Amino acid sequence: MQPTLVAVAHGSRDPRALHTALALLERVRELRPRLDVRLGHVELNEPLLGSVLGELRGAAVLVPLLLGRGYHVKRDLPAAAARAAHLRTRVAAPLGPHPLLVEALYERLVEAGWSAGTAVVLAAAGSRDPDSAADTRRTAGLLAERLGGVPVVPAYASAAAPNAPEAVRALAARGHHRIAVASYFAAPGRFSAQTAAAAPALAAAPLGDHPALARLLLHRYDEARARPARPVRPELVSA
């Protein structure tokens, strides 16, 4: 029997975030109908991840609906897996960086009216973890290639610099008068709205239930299943 795919979202007070995650998982089920697919949240929304894992038996793969490495991926998810001692669990890599994410970002920009030559601010949530910033910079580089070499500057809604208005001003100072904001968020929410407001011309929608994300979730699931299982770190069980 295949392990259950547990997609792990951060959680949001914006009701659109939950609706978006559920729509994305419907796409995953369409791609792999026999796979048991569940949704759990780190915080703010039901069902919480611990409750979801408590209901399962056998094996599960936790796939973060998160776009880079950071505290939740490095600590919260392994801790939740460790506490679910009745399960055989694996934690998949975060969604980004990956070419499928870049394709989704590109298509969201085109849907919003992006045209060749328009510079881009890649607006992300932000984290104090340097690995998270490195992942966002890597995605910005891949997106710049996909857009034909236009500048793509990372910006952050919290915890890191520059913020979106600062990134827009920096591009304008370099002579770029057409600037778009790409929303590097899995779902709508306060941060995506905050960064979109900085766009001088156009702002793309969050990644949402883009078909490329559904394929990427399954890719991360399969990737995790193929890796050897890691032993549980005792300090995580009580975390």
Side-chain angles (χ1 to χ4, degrees):
M1 187 173 177
Q2 298 180 91
T4 299
L5 188 163
V6 181
V8 185
H10 180 275
S12 171
R13 292 182 177 85
D14 189 320
R16 294 174 298 170
L18 176 57
H19 297 323
T20 299
L22 293 173
L24 176 61
L25 296 195
E26 279 305 307
R27 288 194 183 275
V28 173
R29 294 184 183 102
E30 289 168 6
L31 291 171
R32 203 168 293 185
R34 296 186 180 182
L35 179 61
D36 185 10
V37 178
R38 309 286 182 97
L39 174 64
H41 295 90
V42 175
E43 59 185 7
L44 298 176
N45 288 111
E46 299 288 345
L48 291 171
L49 177 57
S51 299
V52 173
L53 295 181
E55 295 171 355
L56 297 177
R57 295 295 179 269
V61 175
L62 279 56
V63 183
L65 292 180
L66 302 167
L67 302 177
R69 295 168 292 172
Y71 186 86
H72 295 311
V73 170
K74 292 181 177 180
R75 184 75 185 184
D76 285 343
L77 271 64
R83 286 192 292 269
H86 64 290
L87 283 176
R88 299 185 304 279
T89 54
R90 297 170 194 255
V91 178
L95 297 182
H98 195 276
L100 283 170
L101 272 183
V102 172
E103 197 58 32
L105 285 165
Y106 169 78
E107 292 188 8
R108 292 294 190 226
L109 281 165
V110 170
E111 288 168 1
W114 181 88
S115 58
T118 302
V120 173
V121 172
L122 180 66
S127 169
R128 293 182 178 87
D129 190 315
D131 286 338
S132 178
D135 289 343
T136 303
R137 289 194 300 271
R138 174 63 179 148
T139 298
L142 293 171
L143 182 59
E145 292 175 13
R146 181 66 180 86
L147 296 175
V150 301
V152 177
V153 176
Y156 306 96
S158 68
N163 61 31
E166 289 167 344
V168 168
R169 288 195 294 270
L171 283 168
R174 290 161 53 185
H176 297 283
H177 303 297
R178 291 186 296 160
I179 303 170
V181 171
S183 188
Y184 197 37
F185 298 96
R190 178 169 62 90
F191 282 168
S192 64
Q194 173 185 317
T195 54
L202 62 94
L207 296 162
D209 64 340
H210 192 284
L213 260 69
R215 299 199 303 273
L216 182 52
L217 252 72
L218 288 170
H219 173 72
R220 292 303 194 205
Y221 169 85
D222 293 336
E223 211 175 40
R225 285 189 68 190
R227 287 199 312 262
R230 295 179 180 177
V232 171
R233 291 162 51 190
E235 70 271 19
L236 292 177
V237 177
S238 59

